Amino acid sequence: MKKTYQEMSREELLTLKAALEEEYKTEEAKGLSLNMARGKPGISQLELAMPMLDVLNGISDMNTILGNDTRNYGDLDGIGECRRLMAAMMEVEKDNVIVCGNSSLNIMYDTISRSMNFGVNGSTPWCRLDKVKFLCPVPGYDRHFKITEVFGIEMINIPMDENGPDMDLVEQYVNNDPAVKGIWCVPKYSNPTGISYSDEVVRRFANLKPAAEDFRIYWDNAYCIHHLYEDIHDNVLNILEECKKAGNEDMVYIFASTSKISFPGSGVSAIATSKANLDFILSKMTVQTIGHDKINQLRHARFFKDIDGLNEHMKKHGALLRPKFEAVLKELDAELAGLGIGTWVKPRGGYFISFNAMPGCAKAIVSKCKDLGVIMTGAGATYPYGKDPQDSNIRIAPSFPTPEEMAVAAKVFTLCVKLASVEKLLAEMS
Amino acid sequence: MKKTYQEMSREELLTLKAALEEEYKTEEAKGLSLNMARGKPGISQLELAMPMLDVLNGISDMNTILGNDTRNYGDLDGIGECRRLMAAMMEVEKDNVIVCGNSSLNIMYDTISRSMNFGVNGSTPWCRLDKVKFLCPVPGYDRHFKITEVFGIEMINIPMDENGPDMDLVEQYVNNDPAVKGIWCVPKYSNPTGISYSDEVVRRFANLKPAAEDFRIYWDNAYCIHHLYEDIHDNVLNILEECKKAGNEDMVYIFASTSKISFPGSGVSAIATSKANLDFILSKMTVQTIGHDKINQLRHARFFKDIDGLNEHMKKHGALLRPKFEAVLKELDAELAGLGIGTWVKPRGGYFISFNAMPGCAKAIVSKCKDLGVIMTGAGATYPYGKDPQDSNIRIAPSFPTPEEMAVAAKVFTLCVKLASVEKLLAEMS
């Protein structure tokens, strides 16, 4: 049985510190350069989709199944076969889907921007309101928080546990405060915690009774088919179905993309929601654009064909990502288990491992890692305004480096966790 | 010498009307189905770019010249070689260009939307102002007007002549009214009139002294290399250069795309403007998206290579479009010249022929064409709010049908012009 750091005496901590500093110097001398900052697919994952670029080679038929020429203007809401593909992935009907451009983040931004300028299905434009608030389950996705921040929307932290957001708190805010217009959710293999929302959490979401008519759930299903293991798949209840059952059909926007299936930046994205919501969205989208890239939609539809094609492809992604995740988890287990200086969850999918350090240590850890040549996501990034009230959460993104590099980077990380923790404990003693 | 319709007696007009109605019945019986409504490239134009889809075939090197992997996240402002290509086309420096997604219309919409929410380089967000006005040279591009309309921006008509907008009026508004925040321009082969702005007009634009610090010229250079003839090219002075000379470097946004060079919907678009403007745009764009489709940018850069490649390609477009334009012009000349019931300009580039009917006749003409199976752009579409005060202008889009179909459609059009004009003159007599 290991002694936790908290159980150590000042002398023991000082001895440990000296040893860790020796290790630190050794690592420093290596001049590493590794990046675990962002959920970037690895090169081997990108290679998997290269045949997609050839799928239209020498093809004379550039028409959709319905006979529309994908090379010309038209099909504002996306070509039929790609809408069908994305609908299957998002577990909704084709008629509930619009296929858009290359980025679901852009759809989310546009959705908030549209609400600011035009309101939601006829409600008062948010730019004319004194106050607009969003609930932000934390830790969460930094780019969600940046969108609401840039529009001056007040963000309220909602703690997450292994089942999802604290629904008592969500209900309290949403059902009573008409200024609360939305909540950011990553329901499956959550960014960064890796957990998936429980059935009860999804049902409580669907049964919200919002004080604001223009409240919507922003359901970013970014990792819907992004499993790490072939035999263990998290399942999340269908939010659109559940909302419909609860008479809240218009209450959710679902977002997804193939950014981490085909190519980041050259995939297709989609929004799925009710007919009423789609009609309103299209009424503005028809002014914004004549249409999205339909040749790329055709490429995706012809390459993946259907949900089985997508799932087969994602098995290969899982096989490439698994060793990277396991390299990190192995180091965390070997180096940090039982020391009382950090907790983490083993994810079954998605792109991240979320690490909770001793309060007050996250910034110091990330800074030490940086000094050793290992770039992590900035501490605090997983919280609105970049402010982690506990200075505890660190997002680890294992996807881009090789498994071997990941093992090295994770080792460096655990060293920095230990050293920062010892320093913190010693500072508290003095 | 033909007699104009205006010189005819009531009896002559009645006789003519009867003859035209006979012709009309003959055409009606044919059950035509032709579309001259939108500036859609013809299929043969699209075929020209098909080899572009194969340019990345079996290519192992998906990196930019600078070594960035186009398949992964990064290069928010576009890959270097595509920025260089678009800069050459737009006659600006690479550093003044951001390459965006598939549609310059979308950049324009986003530019207005961003100004509504965030102002322009630090000015008050337009959504907080009581009144925002835009100048709209008329006739103009309906999709420009739709953007300003949907945002509730008041549009003011500015008459166009063969040199461009009425600059006395432009100066009067821009230099005196701080609510005037922009003007929509299509400086070359203008939509729909086909004219290009004279040097004097461009210089007067560059030397405006706007009452509003956040006034910008929205310079939609949609047809910058879209010549119909190899030996006659309109040249328009470089607005960014001229603005710089006049100390007004930040006053213009230039937009362009390859929608009518490679593929509508699957091209690349770009904005060119001053460093200060680009910095502000990027500060918001970095929240809106992680980046645009860089694989498609690479495809364009490798296929077209440079401005010579673009120009060579556009020669082929010109050769395909020329007979279509000439088929229309031939019919207009043969059937309508000297009758006093319509005027038009022979364009040297672009996508449209602008026709001015006798005041009060445009709607009737378009409606009659529709009844005969020939779809035209809606009458009034070339004016803000869809309201042509004279009910006179009709935009003819000859690009999509074949030259043979165009000849048939143009014949039908001239018949409808004649009939509507006779009816109008008779109504005025009674």
Side-chain angles (χ1 to χ4, degrees):
Chain A
M1 187 74 184
K2 279 181 194 166
K3 210 176 203 178
T4 69
Y5 279 28
Q6 288 81 356
E7 290 164 335
M8 288 185 186
S9 67
R10 187 177 146 82
E11 286 63 37
E12 285 173 310
L13 286 171
L14 284 170
T15 310
L16 178 57
K17 182 163 177 270
L20 292 169
E21 280 168 349
E22 277 308 304
E23 274 191 68
Y24 190 89
K25 276 184 204 151
T26 313
E27 292 300 326
E28 207 168 21
K30 289 181 185 165
L32 295 173
S33 175
L34 292 166
N35 195 315
M36 301 199 287
R38 306 249 29 128
K40 271 173 85 164
I43 290 168
S44 50
Q45 289 173 273
L46 303 175
E47 291 295 338
L48 292 174
M50 285 305 286
M52 195 179 78
L53 299 183
D54 300 344
V55 86
L56 300 178
N57 279 2
I59 288 283
S60 55
D61 180 12
M62 294 291 288
N63 286 4
T64 66
I65 292 169
L66 290 177
N68 300 338
D69 192 336
T70 56
R71 302 169 302 176
N72 223 326
Y73 294 118
D75 277 323
L76 177 65
D77 48 5
I79 66 169
E81 45 265 64
C82 198
R83 289 174 69 196
R84 193 177 301 279
L85 181 74
M86 294 303 280
M89 185 175 103
M90 297 166 90
E91 299 177 327
V92 299
E93 297 298 314
K94 178 188 152 217
D95 288 346
N96 290 110
V97 170
I98 302 175
V99 179
C100 298
N102 72 327
S103 150
S104 56
L105 187 76
N106 204 330
I107 311 180
M108 292 180 233
Y109 177 99
D110 282 358
T111 303
I112 303 292
S113 181
R114 190 173 49 243
S115 305
M116 294 298 294
N117 284 312
F118 309 115
V120 177
N121 299 17
S123 76
T124 304
W126 295 355
C127 67
R128 295 218 203 110
L129 301 175
D130 290 332
K131 180 70 93 180
V132 175
K133 302 176 189 171
F134 254 61
L135 306 184
C136 299
V138 288
Y141 180 33
D142 55 347
R143 288 187 178 271
H144 287 163
F145 304 153
K146 283 282 179 205
I147 292 175
T148 24
E149 184 176 357
V150 81
F151 283 102
I153 293 171
E154 184 183 317
M155 293 182 279
I156 299 165
N157 291 0
I158 303 289
M160 292 265 288
D161 65 20
E162 67 278 14
N163 296 308
D166 177 338
M167 291 308 294
D168 288 342
L169 210 49
V170 170
E171 285 163 356
Q172 189 184 310
Y173 277 113
V174 173
N175 297 354
N176 294 296
D177 186 350
V180 171
K181 302 296 189 190
I183 180 167
W184 289 119
C185 296
V186 184
K188 199 164 178 178
Y189 305 133
S190 185
N191 178 352
T193 67
I195 66 101
S196 298
Y197 291 9
S198 71
D199 291 356
E200 193 204 336
V201 162
V202 177
R203 285 203 190 94
R204 286 177 73 177
F205 263 114
N207 283 280
L208 287 169
K209 305 276 169 256
E213 54 163 349
D214 49 357
F215 169 84
R216 295 289 183 274
I217 302 165
Y218 292 72
W219 198 257
D220 182 1
N221 210 353
Y223 308 108
C224 48
I225 56 170
H226 301 55
H227 318 288
L228 283 173
Y229 300 90
E230 283 197 28
D231 46 348
I232 323 167
H233 289 186
D234 284 9
N235 285 306
V236 173
L237 271 190
N238 185 318
I239 184 74
L240 194 57
E241 279 300 312
E242 293 300 317
C243 281
K244 207 182 282 186
K245 280 187 211 162
N248 274 332
E249 195 178 357
D250 296 338
M251 199 174 59
V252 63
Y253 299 128
I254 307 173
F255 308 94
S257 82
T258 69
S259 292
K260 294 187 178 80
I261 298 173
S262 56
F263 297 111
S266 303
V268 293
S269 64
I271 180 170
T273 187
S274 70
K275 178 77 168 56
N277 288 341
L278 287 188
D279 285 347
F280 183 74
I281 291 167
L282 284 168
S283 75
K284 304 302 173 190
M285 218 170 93
T286 190
V287 179
Q288 183 173 18
T289 179
I290 305 182
H292 297 286
D293 185 341
K294 298 189 302 297
I295 293 182
N296 204 33
Q297 293 177 17
L298 188 69
R299 213 176 261 126
H300 279 74
R302 290 199 182 162
F303 181 67
F304 290 116
K305 294 185 178 72
D306 54 25
I307 185 67
D308 294 336
L310 284 168
N311 283 329
E312 275 308 307
H313 193 80
M314 292 313 284
K315 272 189 202 167
K316 298 175 196 162
H317 275 253
L320 291 168
L321 286 169
R322 213 157 48 229
K324 301 181 182 192
F325 276 74
E326 288 179 347
V328 176
L329 292 164
K330 194 179 152 200
E331 286 299 327
L332 294 178
D333 277 333
E335 296 293 330
L336 300 180
L339 299 184
I341 56 173
T343 58
W344 58 94
V345 173
K346 181 184 173 187
R348 293 181 289 265
Y351 263 66
F352 303 106
I353 295 166
S354 180
F355 183 86
N356 288 312
M358 276 173 45
C361 288
K363 278 187 190 159
I365 293 167
V366 169
S367 165
K368 283 180 197 301
C369 283
K370 192 182 169 194
D371 290 343
L372 294 185
V374 174
I375 307 298
M376 314 285 302
T377 309
T382 52
Y383 282 75
Y385 311 107
K387 286 181 192 156
D388 175 357
Q390 297 280 315
D391 185 27
S392 163
N393 187 253
I394 298 172
R395 188 182 78 165
I396 302 174
S399 54
F400 192 72
T402 64
E404 295 70 31
E405 289 169 331
M406 268 324 296
V408 174
K411 185 91 172 179
V412 167
F413 175 74
T414 59
L415 171 62
C416 295
V417 171
K418 288 179 194 171
L419 189 53
S421 304
V422 168
E423 285 172 355
K424 173 79 179 167
L425 287 166
L426 282 168
E428 280 169 2
M429 283 177 183
S430 63
Chain B
M1 186 78 186
K2 279 182 193 163
K3 206 176 203 177
T4 69
Y5 279 28
Q6 287 83 354
E7 290 166 332
M8 289 185 185
S9 68
R10 187 178 147 83
E11 286 62 38
E12 284 173 310
L13 286 170
L14 282 169
T15 309
L16 178 58
K17 182 164 176 266
L20 291 169
E21 279 168 350
E22 276 308 305
E23 273 193 66
Y24 190 89
K25 274 184 205 153
T26 311
E27 291 300 328
E28 206 169 21
K30 290 181 183 164
L32 295 174
S33 174
L34 292 166
N35 195 316
M36 299 200 288
R38 307 245 33 125
K40 272 174 84 165
I43 290 167
S44 50
Q45 289 173 271
L46 304 175
E47 291 295 337
L48 292 174
M50 285 305 286
M52 194 179 79
L53 299 183
D54 299 344
V55 86
L56 300 177
N57 278 2
I59 289 281
S60 55
D61 181 13
M62 294 291 288
N63 286 4
T64 65
I65 292 168
L66 290 176
N68 301 338
D69 192 336
T70 56
R71 303 169 302 178
N72 222 325
Y73 294 117
D75 278 322
L76 176 64
D77 47 7
I79 66 169
E81 45 265 64
C82 198
R83 288 174 70 195
R84 193 177 302 279
L85 181 74
M86 294 303 280
M89 185 175 102
M90 297 165 89
E91 299 177 326
V92 298
E93 298 298 315
K94 179 187 150 217
D95 289 346
N96 291 111
V97 170
I98 302 175
V99 179
C100 297
N102 72 326
S103 149
S104 56
L105 187 75
N106 204 331
I107 312 181
M108 292 179 233
Y109 177 98
D110 282 359
T111 303
I112 303 292
S113 180
R114 191 172 49 245
S115 305
M116 294 298 297
N117 284 311
F118 309 117
V120 177
N121 299 16
S123 76
T124 305
W126 294 355
C127 68
R128 296 217 201 109
L129 302 175
D130 289 333
K131 180 70 91 178
V132 175
K133 301 177 189 171
F134 254 60
L135 305 185
C136 299
V138 288
Y141 179 30
D142 55 346
R143 288 187 178 271
H144 287 163
F145 305 152
K146 283 283 178 203
I147 292 175
T148 25
E149 183 176 358
V150 80
F151 283 102
I153 293 170
E154 183 183 319
M155 293 181 278
I156 298 164
N157 292 1
I158 303 289
M160 293 266 288
D161 65 21
E162 66 279 14
N163 296 308
D166 177 339
M167 291 309 294
D168 289 342
L169 211 50
V170 169
E171 285 163 357
Q172 188 184 311
Y173 278 113
V174 173
N175 296 354
N176 295 296
D177 186 350
V180 171
K181 303 296 189 189
I183 180 168
W184 289 119
C185 295
V186 183
K188 199 164 179 178
Y189 305 132
S190 186
N191 178 351
T193 66
I195 67 101
S196 298
Y197 291 11
S198 72
D199 292 355
E200 192 206 335
V201 162
V202 176
R203 285 203 190 94
R204 286 178 73 177
F205 264 114
N207 283 280
L208 286 170
K209 305 277 170 253
E213 55 163 346
D214 49 357
F215 170 84
R216 294 291 183 274
I217 302 164
Y218 293 72
W219 198 258
D220 182 2
N221 209 352
Y223 307 108
C224 47
I225 56 170
H226 300 56
H227 318 289
L228 282 173
Y229 300 90
E230 284 196 27
D231 46 349
I232 324 166
H233 290 185
D234 283 9
N235 286 306
V236 173
L237 270 191
N238 186 317
I239 183 74
L240 194 58
E241 280 300 312
E242 293 300 317
C243 281
K244 208 183 280 186
K245 282 186 211 163
N248 274 331
E249 196 179 358
D250 297 338
M251 200 174 59
V252 64
Y253 299 127
I254 307 172
F255 308 93
S257 81
T258 69
S259 291
K260 293 186 179 81
I261 297 173
S262 56
F263 298 111
S266 303
V268 294
S269 64
I271 178 169
T273 187
S274 71
K275 178 77 168 57
N277 288 342
L278 286 187
D279 285 348
F280 183 74
I281 291 169
L282 284 168
S283 74
K284 305 303 173 187
M285 219 172 90
T286 190
V287 178
Q288 183 174 18
T289 179
I290 306 182
H292 297 286
D293 185 340
K294 297 187 304 297
I295 293 182
N296 204 33
Q297 293 177 17
L298 187 68
R299 212 176 264 127
H300 279 72
R302 291 200 180 161
F303 180 67
F304 291 114
K305 293 185 179 72
D306 53 25
I307 185 67
D308 293 335
L310 284 168
N311 283 329
E312 274 308 308
H313 193 80
M314 292 312 284
K315 273 188 203 166
K316 299 175 195 161
H317 275 254
L320 290 168
L321 285 168
R322 212 156 49 231
K324 301 181 181 192
F325 277 73
E326 289 179 346
V328 176
L329 293 164
K330 194 179 152 200
E331 287 298 328
L332 295 178
D333 277 332
E335 296 293 331
L336 301 180
L339 299 184
I341 57 173
T343 59
W344 58 94
V345 174
K346 183 185 171 187
R348 292 181 288 266
Y351 263 66
F352 303 105
I353 295 166
S354 180
F355 183 87
N356 288 311
M358 275 171 47
C361 287
K363 278 187 190 159
I365 294 167
V366 169
S367 165
K368 282 181 197 302
C369 283
K370 192 181 170 195
D371 291 342
L372 294 186
V374 175
I375 307 298
M376 314 286 301
T377 309
T382 52
Y383 282 75
Y385 312 106
K387 285 180 193 159
D388 175 356
Q390 297 281 315
D391 185 27
S392 163
N393 187 252
I394 298 172
R395 189 181 78 166
I396 301 174
S399 55
F400 192 72
T402 64
E404 295 70 31
E405 288 169 331
M406 267 324 296
V408 174
K411 185 90 173 181
V412 167
F413 174 74
T414 59
L415 171 63
C416 295
V417 171
K418 289 179 192 172
L419 190 53
S421 304
V422 169
E423 285 172 354
K424 174 80 180 165
L425 287 167
L426 283 167
E428 280 169 1
M429 284 177 181
S430 64

